[in-house]
C-alpha cells in the first residue's frame, strides 16, 4: 500500500494505491464512509488490478471543506496524481453518482463505470411508484434528523445503517455504523459543499458515453432499486444486475456474488484495453 496526499484547491485528499499490474480501478466510497469500507475488497481486487482508494473532502483523512468545491475536479486530481490515464470507476451509493458525473465530463479518462446501488435523491418527473418510494426515503431521513436532535450521532448512524443494510452480519453492521459515526460531519453540515455536475447527472443518463454496469440488491430501499432501473433504461450502454440477497452494500451483504460481478467487469476492461 502506498498512501499519499493529493493537493487540491483549498484542501487535500488522502489516497492509497494497491497492486502493480492490470487495469486501473478507482473506488469511490459511499457517502458516510471512507477508504476503510473497501478493506475486504482491495486484497483480492489488487491481485489483478492497480487499485486506487481515496477519501472525499469532509471524509476520512482528507481535509474538511470550508466552502464550495468541484467534486469532479477532485477526482481528476486523484487520477492525475496517480498517473492514471483511464480507469474503471467503481462507485458505491453517492460514489456511483460521482463516478457517473465524472464519466460524463471526462469520458476519455473512463474505461467503464460500475455503479453499486447509485443514489441520486429526488426523481425528476417521478412515476407514482417512484414518488411512493421517495416518501419512504423522506421518512427515513426525517427519523435520522430526529435522532440527531434527541439521541445524538451514534443513534442516528445506527438507525441509518439498519435502514440501508438489513442483510449484513452483526460485525459488518458495527463496522459500517462506526464509519458513519467517524464521518458524521456530513450529517451535521447545514449545507453540503460538494458541487456536482450542472445540470446534475441524474437528468443526463442518456448522454453517458462509457459502458455503464449497474448493480443493486433486492433488499435495498425501493427508491434505490428504481433509480437503478431508470439508469439502466436511459444510459445507452448500460447493463443491470440485481442480487437477490444483497442490500445497499453488496460487498458486505453478498460478498461472493459482488466479487464475481466486479471481477467479470474489471477483466472485461483489461481485455478491451489490450484489444
Amino acid at each position: 500500500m502506498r498512501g499519499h496526499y493529493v493537493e487540491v484547491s483549498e484542501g487535500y485528499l488522502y489516497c492509497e494505491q494497491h497492486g502493480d499490474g492490470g487495469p486501473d480501478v478507482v473506488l469511490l466510497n459511499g457517502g458516510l464512509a471512507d477508504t476503510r469500507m473497501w478493506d475486504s475488497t482491495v486484497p483480492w481486487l489488487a491481485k489483478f488490478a492497480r487499485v486506487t482508494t481515496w477519501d472525499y473532502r469532509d471524509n476520512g483523512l482528507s481535509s474538511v471543506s470550508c466552502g464550495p468545491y468541484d467534486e469532479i475536479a477532485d477526482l481528476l486530481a486523484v487520477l492525475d496524481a496517480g498517473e492514471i490515464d483511464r480507469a474503471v470507476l467503481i462507485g458505491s451509493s453517492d460514489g456511483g453518482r460521482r463516478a457517473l458525473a465524472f464519466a460524463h465530463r471526462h469520458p476519455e479518462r473512463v474505461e467503464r463505470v460500475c455503479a453499486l446501488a447509485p443514489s441520486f435523491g429526488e426523481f425528476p418527473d417521478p412515476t407514482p411508484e417512484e414518488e411512493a418510494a421517495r416518501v419512504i426515503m423522506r421518512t427515513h431521513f426525517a427519523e435520522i434528523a430526529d435522532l440527531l436532535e434527541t439521541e445524538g450521532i451514534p443513534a442516528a448512524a445506527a438507525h441509518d445503517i439498519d435502514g440501508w443494510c438489513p442483510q449484513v452480519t452483526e460485525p459488518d453492521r458495527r463496522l459500517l455504523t462506526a464509519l458513519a459515526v467517524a464521518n458524521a460531519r456530513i450529517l451535521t453540515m447545514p449545507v453540503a459543499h460538494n458541487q456536482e455536475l450542472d445540470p446534475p447527472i441524474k437528468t443526463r443518463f442518456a448522454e453517458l458515453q462509457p459502458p455503464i454496469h449497474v448493480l443493486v440488491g433486492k433488499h435495498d430501499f425501493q427508491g434505490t432499486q428504481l433509480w437503478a432501473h431508470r439508469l439502466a433504461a436511459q444510459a445507452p450502454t448500460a447493463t443491470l444486475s440485481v442480487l437477490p440477497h444483497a442490500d445497499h452494500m453488496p460487498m458486505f451483504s453478498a460478498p461472493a456474488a459482488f466479487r464475481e460481478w466486479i471481477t467479470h467487469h474489471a477483466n472485461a476492461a483489461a481485455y478491451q484495453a489490450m484489444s
Side-chain angles (χ1 to χ4, degrees):
M1 184 270 287
R2 299 180 293 276
H4 59 280
Y5 288 91
V6 174
E7 299 298 320
V8 291
S9 175
E10 300 184 12
Y12 55 84
L13 306 170
Y14 177 73
C15 306
E16 296 177 1
Q17 278 195 338
H18 307 257
D20 296 305
D24 271 301
V25 176
V26 178
L27 306 181
L28 287 86
N29 313 324
L32 288 178
D34 55 43
T35 56
R36 291 172 290 182
M37 71 168 283
W38 303 108
D39 283 353
S40 61
T41 300
V42 168
W44 57 260
L45 185 55
K47 291 180 179 179
F48 62 87
R50 184 171 69 156
V51 182
T52 298
T53 61
W54 63 294
D55 290 331
Y56 314 140
R57 302 194 207 201
D58 301 306
N59 291 68
L61 297 178
S62 292
S63 62
V64 299
S65 63
C66 298
Y69 68 91
D70 185 338
E71 63 182 19
I72 298 176
D74 276 7
L75 178 51
L76 182 62
V78 170
L79 266 63
D80 288 345
E83 299 182 341
I84 301 169
D85 293 328
R86 290 172 62 86
V88 177
L89 303 182
I90 300 178
S92 173
S93 190
D94 188 58
R97 178 193 62 77
R98 293 178 185 235
L100 291 165
F102 183 89
H104 185 283
R105 186 181 293 177
H106 298 288
E108 75 286 353
R109 303 296 295 269
V110 178
E111 289 286 353
R112 61 190 59 210
V113 176
C114 295
L116 315 174
S119 298
F120 305 96
E122 297 292 335
F123 291 93
D125 300 318
T127 66
E129 186 180 19
E130 290 170 341
E131 177 57 29
R134 285 306 298 176
V135 169
I136 295 172
M137 293 305 309
R138 292 182 205 122
T139 299
H140 176 75
F141 295 139
E143 293 168 350
I144 298 301
D146 182 64
L147 284 169
L148 280 173
E149 290 288 332
T150 59
E151 299 185 38
I153 289 171
H159 185 74
D160 196 30
I161 296 303
D162 287 345
W164 290 104
C165 302
Q167 295 294 102
V168 302
T169 65
E170 182 59 22
D172 287 335
R173 175 185 176 276
R174 291 176 177 175
L175 169 65
L176 290 167
T177 301
L179 290 179
V181 170
N183 293 288
R185 173 174 165 80
I186 302 298
L187 282 177
T188 58
M189 292 174 66
V191 178
H193 291 154
N194 55 302
Q195 293 184 314
E196 62 176 325
L197 196 69
D198 184 20
I201 189 61
K202 68 181 179 181
T203 66
R204 306 171 77 172
F205 294 156
E207 301 169 11
L208 287 163
Q209 298 178 29
I212 309 297
H213 306 292
V214 188
L215 183 69
V216 70
K218 285 291 290 182
H219 293 269
D220 204 337
F221 278 110
Q222 183 68 8
T224 309
Q225 295 184 54
L226 292 172
W227 266 120
H229 284 276
R230 182 184 274 225
L231 170 59
Q234 294 182 3
T237 59
T239 64
L240 173 63
S241 299
V242 180
L243 295 185
H245 303 296
D247 53 30
H248 196 63
M249 292 286 180
M251 66 289 294
F252 295 103
S253 55
F258 169 75
R259 178 172 180 169
E260 181 180 2
W261 188 82
I262 291 294
T263 300
H264 170 74
H265 290 302
N267 284 331
Y271 177 80
Q272 181 178 1
M274 292 186 297
S275 62

